[in-house]
């Protein structure tokens, strides 16, 4: 339960493999991690140990476990959706630099190919670099789309409130279910499909993020203004 282990078995395998040099069993063990040495310790109580042909019993025994070098290392964030705001901008700067370096490398190799001085592997290398350049371009689109999507989803709640206010005023004397259905169904059937469609278009470079992702909120804002105008007239 948490750091406490019940019925713990620790086995040390023979260097040649196949058998175990030592087997230790404890009724209870507590996990303890030392960041300085990057080691994991198991504090065991009431231990039975079998080593070779010898059997031993101990009240307490601490068993160190060496961790791999990459354990607890910061995992590379691959998706834009997994990044914080600062990470989005840092990743964008890094990706832009990598794309520029790739473009220079492609131009350098292509120049040698055009002059007839290229090696046999230059054409294949240019294709590989071009694929990497396109990958960086897709990553930049994903980063840009992610920023606009977060803002659009946050503003969407405000737009829902703008539309809901006049509808709520009109149906204040009616049943709540009718007001809920009138506001809820258009959001599910129109707003979110339009928003996700625009997001995919921005990620695939079919349209600019500024133009597409915020269109759904713009539509809700226009509807809210129309409803408020009719409410004011009445």
């Amino acid at each position: 339960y948490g750091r406490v282990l019940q019925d713990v078995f620790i086995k040390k395998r023979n260097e040649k493999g196949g058998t175990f040099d030592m087997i230790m069993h404890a009724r209870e063990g507590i996990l303890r991690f030392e960041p300085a040495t990057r080691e994991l310790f198991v504090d065991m109580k009431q231990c039975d140990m079998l080593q070779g042909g010898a059997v031993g019993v101990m009240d307490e025994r601490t068993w160190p476990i060496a961790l791999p070098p990459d354990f607890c290392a910061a995992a590379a964030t691959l998706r834009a959706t997994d990044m914080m705001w600062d990470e989005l901008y840092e990743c964008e700067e890094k990706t832009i630099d990598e794309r520029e370096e790739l473009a220079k490398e492609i131009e350098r190799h292509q120049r040698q190919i055009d002059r007839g001085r290229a090696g046999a592997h230059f054409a294949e290398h240019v294709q590989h670099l071009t694929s990497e350049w396109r990958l960086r371009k897709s990553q930049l689109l994903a980063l840009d789309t992610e920023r606009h999507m977060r803002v659009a989803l946050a503003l969407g709640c405000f737009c829902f409130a703008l539309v809901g206010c006049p509808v709520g005023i009109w149906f204040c004397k009616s049943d709540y279910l009718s007001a809920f259905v009138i506001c809820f169904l258009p959001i599910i059937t129109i707003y979110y499909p339009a928003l996700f469609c625009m997001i995919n278009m921005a990620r695939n470079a079919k349209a600019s993020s500024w133009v597409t992702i915020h269109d759904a909120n713009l539509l809700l804002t226009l509807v809210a203004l129309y409803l408020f105008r009719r409410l004011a007239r009445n």
Side-chain angles (χ1 to χ4, degrees), residues 31-81:
L31 294 176
R32 179 165 50 86
F33 176 68
E34 292 294 338
T37 59
R38 300 184 62 81
E39 286 185 308
L40 182 67
F41 295 91
V42 184
D43 299 326
M44 296 180 292
K45 299 179 180 180
Q46 299 181 0
C47 308
D48 299 327
M49 183 177 67
L50 174 62
Q51 186 171 11
V55 179
V57 179
M58 293 170 287
D59 290 335
E60 295 182 357
R61 172 67 187 270
T62 298
W63 185 261
I65 301 177
L67 299 176
D70 57 348
F71 186 80
C72 290
T77 306
L78 300 179
R79 299 187 306 172
T81 53

Side-chain angles (χ1 to χ4, degrees), residues 117-125:
R117 302 176 183 177
H121 66 286
F122 270 44
E124 182 179 356
H125 187 56

Side-chain angles (χ1 to χ4, degrees), residues 1-8 26-31 42:
Y1 308 97
R3 295 187 303 112
V4 180
L5 306 177
Q6 302 292 334
D7 199 20
V8 184
R27 294 183 59 184
E28 183 180 281
I30 300 177
L31 294 176
V42 184

Side-chain angles (χ1 to χ4, degrees), residues 202-223:
R203 286 176 177 170
N204 296 326
K206 294 181 179 179
S208 173
S209 301
W210 281 101
V211 178
T212 56
I213 297 179
H214 300 282
D215 284 352
N217 288 337
L218 178 61
L219 177 62
L220 280 182
T221 304
L222 294 176
V223 172

Side-chain angles (χ1 to χ4, degrees), residues 23 26 34-35 46-47 52 59 63 78 87 106-107 118 145 152 154 157 167 170 183 196 199:
I23 300 176
E34 292 294 338
Q46 299 181 0
C47 308
D59 290 335
W63 185 261
L78 300 179
E87 293 176 335
I106 293 172
E107 183 181 359
T145 302
C157 299
V167 175
W170 278 329
C183 292
F196 293 135
I199 290 174

